[in-house]
Amino acid sequence: MRLTLRARLALWAALATGVAVLLVAGGLYWSVNGFLRQAQEQRVMSVLGAVQGRVEGLLRPRPSDDLLGSVLGVQQISVSQADLERIADDVDRRGVDLRVIARQAGGLASVGTPSFPSGVPVALGPGLHLTGTHLILERPLRGASLQIAVDARSLREAREAFLRALVALVPLALLLSLLVGWVVAGRLLRPVRALEGAAHAIGEGGDLRRPLPGAGDGDELARLALTLQRSFAHLADARDREQGFLRAAAHDLRSPLAALTARVEGTLARDRDAERYRADLREIGTDITRLSTLANHLLLLARDPAAVQRAPVPLRDLAADAVDRARELDPLADVDLNGAEAVTVPGDRVLLGQAIWNLTTNAVRHAPGATVLVQVRAVPGGAAVTVQDDGPGVDAATLARLGEAFYRPDASRTADASGTGGHGLGLALARHVAGLHGGTLDIESAPGAGFRVTLHLPG
């Protein structure tokens, strides 16, 4: 079963607390143990300083009673147990015991205080040693060795007490951190639950412009809510554009389809001569051409950006082809090309060719009798294709909406009814192509000042 985010946050908080407690406890244990060990070592060294001189003063050679020892010259220990007890008492340190070890004829012999810990080897070796409950310091003397035993049970008891406290405190710390983490996670996730409820309400009601709770420039959750709110607003705008696009497409498809159906039905209603049939078929062909153009424009507008090709495209060739086709469309049109140098940009040849053709035919159709100039030039960072005419131009209100899909001024719709207009997709398609290539489409016009459209493309 997958845990909730709140439970996971609480568990992570408990885990972090447990790791922190263990690290701190380990550091404290190491520090305290080192401090206690150092204190014991200092104690035994201070005892050594107090007793070493006195023990050395009592050590004196005494001939061995053993014949072999006499022959070998081995000395016996001259320090008695009473001497060691008196020295230990004089240092006035509880838990301190002494033992003197010397080599005898039969091996090593030792004498020590009665409470000297048993089981400590006589051949322990010089230095500090921790054996069982005592800390042993052995120091070589004249012909013997002195062992000082200091009770180290306090060090062991401190360790055990620390471990008992750690065993008791770690579970309590984990439980407390788990509880605090659960409460804090609940408070932190409260805005998330509010966002979840608001998103659910938006999904149920469809109101993408509904404000989200907590949206703002505050903390991360506030910025997340603000980002979601803006994203929903963009989706609402896209949905509105899509709905408007579909309504306009349905309207513009309905008219030529209805006209085509009426012409076909009228042609089949009664017998006609061959010339009349040819005229009707030409009109039907015109409607079919308009439908095909509209369908092609719709497909180009819906083209996936990932499918856009990136190959060198000669813009002057595309512009020259558009000018030639415009002259074929209207032999009386005054269309010229200005582009002496070859300009190449990376892009999709089909899309760029359709965009330049749309700009050119748009000028020819909507500025009859005007001079149309198509210019291709290199600019810093890329290239620009400009189509301008000296026609009547448009007002500011119309200029603001040009480039929207299916938008046509009333004059264009009147021209379209006569069979010479378009579908309001030419500029929209050109702007879409510019965006797919990382460029822009700039439109400039004013009443009586002509019309100028510039397609900027990055190089």
Side-chain angles (χ1 to χ4, degrees):
M1 181 181 66
R2 187 176 178 83
L3 296 176
T4 63
L5 181 58
R6 184 179 185 181
R8 280 181 283 167
L9 287 175
L11 288 177
W12 278 111
L15 178 62
T17 303
V19 171
V21 169
L22 290 177
L23 290 176
V24 172
L28 289 176
Y29 179 81
W30 180 80
S31 300
V32 171
N33 183 67
F35 176 77
L36 294 177
R37 175 69 180 264
Q38 185 179 10
Q40 293 287 1
E41 291 176 357
Q42 290 178 351
R43 181 186 181 193
V44 74
M45 293 302 294
S46 65
V47 172
L48 174 65
V51 304
Q52 181 177 356
R54 297 181 62 180
V55 173
E56 286 181 337
L58 294 175
L59 287 174
R60 58 184 181 275
R62 185 162 60 90
S64 173
D65 296 334
D66 183 80
L67 179 62
L68 180 60
S70 301
V71 175
L72 295 177
V74 176
Q75 302 296 320
Q76 291 184 344
I77 297 176
S78 59
V79 179
S80 65
Q81 186 180 83
D83 294 334
L84 294 179
E85 286 183 305
R86 186 171 57 256
I87 293 174
D89 292 337
D90 289 344
V91 299
D92 192 21
R93 297 181 182 272
R94 291 176 296 175
V96 176
D97 293 289
L98 306 177
R99 183 169 68 174
V100 177
I101 303 168
R103 180 174 299 278
Q104 300 294 315
L108 293 177
S110 64
V111 59
T113 56
S115 58
F116 194 90
S118 60
V120 177
V122 293
L124 197 59
L128 281 169
H129 309 276
L130 183 63
T131 58
T133 60
H134 286 76
L135 183 64
I136 309 297
L137 172 62
E138 182 171 332
R139 177 62 61 88
L141 301 176
R142 291 182 302 173
S145 295
L146 172 64
Q147 289 184 346
I148 302 175
V150 176
D151 191 353
R153 281 178 295 183
S154 59
L155 180 61
R156 186 182 65 181
E157 292 172 355
R159 292 175 180 173
E160 293 176 353
F162 188 87
L163 290 177
R164 286 194 300 270
L166 186 64
V167 170
L169 290 177
V170 167
L172 291 177
L174 291 177
L175 183 61
L176 181 60
S177 62
L178 187 62
L179 179 61
V180 173
W182 179 265
V183 175
V184 172
R187 294 181 62 86
L188 291 177
L189 294 176
R190 189 177 302 167
V192 177
R193 290 194 295 270
L195 281 178
E196 180 185 2
H200 180 74
I202 290 174
E204 292 291 332
D207 183 11
L208 294 176
R209 290 188 173 86
R210 176 179 176 178
L212 292 178
D217 297 327
D219 56 11
E220 290 81 356
L221 290 177
R223 293 195 294 271
L224 173 61
L226 182 61
T227 302
L228 291 176
Q229 182 173 291
R230 290 173 177 172
S231 300
F232 288 159
H234 292 161
L235 290 176
D237 295 338
R239 183 184 62 182
D240 293 343
R241 288 194 299 268
E242 180 182 357
Q243 291 176 351
F245 181 86
L246 292 176
R247 285 193 296 267
H251 176 271
D252 280 45
L253 285 172
R254 187 185 302 114
S255 298
L257 285 174
L260 180 61
T261 302
R263 287 194 178 103
V264 171
E265 291 177 351
T267 301
L268 297 177
R270 59 182 182 275
D271 294 336
R272 302 186 180 192
D273 55 30
E275 184 61 31
R276 185 59 183 273
Y277 276 124
R278 280 194 292 271
D280 290 342
L281 288 175
R282 281 194 294 270
E283 293 178 354
I284 292 173
T286 301
D287 290 336
I288 293 175
T289 300
R290 293 182 62 205
L291 283 173
S292 176
T293 302
L294 176 60
N296 288 334
H297 283 182
L298 291 175
L299 289 175
L300 289 175
L301 283 174
R303 191 163 182 175
D304 185 3
V308 176
Q309 298 181 2
R310 298 291 177 181
V313 178
L315 294 180
R316 188 179 62 179
D317 295 348
L318 297 183
D321 181 66
V323 169
D324 293 339
R325 291 170 61 190
R327 289 170 179 170
E328 294 175 0
L329 180 67
D330 185 0
L332 300 179
D334 184 7
V335 187
D336 293 318
L337 173 64
N338 182 7
E341 57 177 333
V343 180
T344 302
V345 296
D348 191 300
R349 187 185 185 98
V350 175
L351 289 178
L352 291 176
Q354 186 65 44
I356 296 175
W357 161 246
N358 284 356
L359 298 179
T360 305
T361 189
N362 181 74
V364 172
R365 283 176 174 170
H366 298 296
T371 299
V372 179
L373 178 63
V374 181
Q375 183 180 12
V376 180
R377 67 187 189 280
V379 296
V385 180
T386 301
V387 180
Q388 62 181 5
D389 61 69
D390 56 1
V394 297
D395 55 28
T398 302
L399 183 66
R401 296 198 59 190
L402 287 177
E404 297 180 9
F406 294 105
Y407 172 73
R408 290 173 294 172
D410 293 339
S412 294
R413 292 189 179 275
T414 303
D416 183 48
S418 64
T420 61
H423 301 91
L425 290 176
L427 292 177
L429 177 60
R431 176 161 289 169
H432 185 64
V433 171
L436 290 178
H437 289 79
T440 58
L441 184 73
D442 298 333
I443 305 175
E444 305 173 25
S445 183
F451 196 85
R452 177 187 179 95
V453 185
T454 303
L455 175 64
H456 294 278
L457 296 171

